[in-house]
Amino acid sequence: MKPRIAIPVPHSSDKDYDDRALPQYKKAVEQAGGEVEVIPLDKSQEEVAQLLKRCDGVLLPGSSADLDPQKYSARRDPHTNPADPARDAVDELLLQDVHNMRKPLLGICYGLQALNVWRTGTLVQHIQSSVKHDAGRRVKKAHTVSVAPDSRLAKILSDAPNTELYPSPDFTAMQFKVNSSHHQAVKKTGSGLRVSARCPDDSIVEAVEGTEPDHWLIGVQWHPERTADEDPCSRALFTALVEAAREWHESPRAQGEPEGLPPSKFARPAKGKVK
């Protein structure tokens, strides 16, 4: 049986973004050996919960929205895009399921930011840097990322065949080139997360991961789904997610009850209808 990965629809009203982005995420997961369960944004909590029972892992995709700064007690910057409450509500349900059941999760761009804020972290609402972080989807290699050598991310990339990793100038980390389509980033790291990659030219956070060794949590700020066909580093992330989901499906936890960790430890769960 192939591991099943839940992916929420990226945006509740930006159909052009959904039509362009969702097939890329689905293809990357399927090429890595997984199946995709698309989670609509107009279902009740109960309906979403039933869909999640069939899933072994979660992928939180990018979005053209920005998270509401009120979620991390900040004033709205004029550059911040409108929020998408329907996407936020579904993400909170998925994040709670991941937390309770210890399912693996890969967050991409907005998905990383949602994970970080749900874990009580904060965001830089608009990056001020000479590095082009909002280079756009047509730029395949926008800037360098430096990966912490003791991280889960470093092991995933190092173990993958033919990755284009090279040592940093001081030989303390491994680096590679990524695409980049974001104007926000992690400011304060959320509870239970650690920074696993930065842009070496301006120290912008480019990846986070969970600190618990038995729970596979990774968020990246770039878009590996866009380059999974030709880039080994991108493919390695989806392969690792699917393999972690396979291991979860075969574990005793997959057959048991949620661990019941209090929802209030991080964010408040959504109530009522998701839409």
Side-chain angles (χ1 to χ4, degrees):
M1 178 177 175
K2 293 182 177 180
R4 182 168 290 169
I5 307 298
I7 305 179
V9 172
H11 199 286
S12 63
S13 60
D14 190 342
K15 188 174 185 302
D16 288 343
Y17 187 94
D18 292 345
D19 289 347
R20 181 177 67 249
L22 188 55
Q24 293 179 316
Y25 292 109
K26 292 174 65 177
K27 181 180 178 182
V29 169
E30 289 165 355
Q31 287 182 333
E35 291 183 349
V36 171
E37 181 77 48
V38 176
I39 309 297
L41 305 184
D42 59 353
K43 302 296 183 183
S44 68
Q45 287 192 64
E46 292 75 17
E47 290 171 312
V48 172
Q50 288 302 312
L51 292 174
L52 289 178
K53 284 182 178 180
R54 309 181 341 181
C55 297
D56 308 301
V58 171
L59 189 158
L60 292 184
S63 173
S64 55
D66 283 331
L67 288 159
D68 186 345
Q70 289 186 349
K71 288 181 175 288
Y72 47 97
S73 303
R75 289 188 176 183
R76 177 179 293 276
D77 185 283
H79 296 93
T80 295
N81 294 326
D84 184 356
R87 168 68 193 273
D88 287 351
V90 168
D91 279 5
E92 288 180 2
L93 295 174
L94 270 62
L95 285 162
Q96 189 66 58
D97 183 63
V98 163
H99 174 63
N100 285 351
M101 299 299 294
R102 294 297 192 264
K103 292 179 183 178
L105 177 141
L106 174 62
I108 293 175
C109 197
Y110 179 95
L112 175 157
Q113 296 163 13
L115 166 65
N116 190 64
V117 169
W118 193 80
R119 291 273 186 135
T120 70
T122 64
L123 301 178
V124 176
Q125 290 191 55
H126 189 65
I127 297 168
Q128 302 288 339
S129 173
S130 59
V131 177
K132 192 70 173 173
H133 289 278
D134 58 348
R137 66 181 185 275
R138 292 182 176 85
V139 180
K140 292 187 177 181
K141 294 185 179 181
H143 63 77
T144 300
V145 163
S146 185
V147 182
D150 60 342
S151 64
R152 187 191 297 269
L153 178 61
K155 179 168 177 28
I156 289 170
L157 299 179
S158 298
D159 288 349
N162 304 317
T163 52
E164 297 179 356
L165 296 172
Y166 53 90
S168 62
D170 60 2
F171 295 95
T172 60
M174 297 303 294
Q175 297 182 335
F176 66 111
K177 299 284 189 179
V178 298
N179 56 35
S180 194
S181 297
H182 64 106
H183 78 114
Q184 298 193 336
V186 169
K187 185 176 183 180
K188 185 190 81 172
T189 310
S191 178
L193 300 175
R194 57 168 290 196
V195 174
S196 54
R198 293 182 183 270
C199 174
D201 300 313
D202 58 11
S203 295
I204 291 294
V205 174
E206 290 289 336
V208 298
E209 60 186 52
T211 57
E212 298 175 271
D214 65 340
H215 191 188
W216 199 100
L217 287 178
I218 290 181
V220 298
Q221 195 60 75
W222 63 95
H223 284 268
E225 79 283 357
R226 296 176 181 171
T227 51
D229 282 342
E230 67 268 18
D231 177 47
C233 287
S234 297
R235 286 196 300 276
L237 282 166
F238 294 101
T239 300
L241 170 65
V242 170
E243 183 55 36
R246 190 189 314 279
E247 291 178 5
W248 184 90
H249 181 82
E250 296 171 352
S251 70
R253 183 175 286 131
Q255 309 302 323
E257 295 296 321
E259 295 190 12
L261 297 178
S264 59
K265 181 178 180 181
F266 299 122
R268 184 176 301 167
K271 295 183 179 180
K273 291 285 185 179
V274 167
K275 74 181 292 187

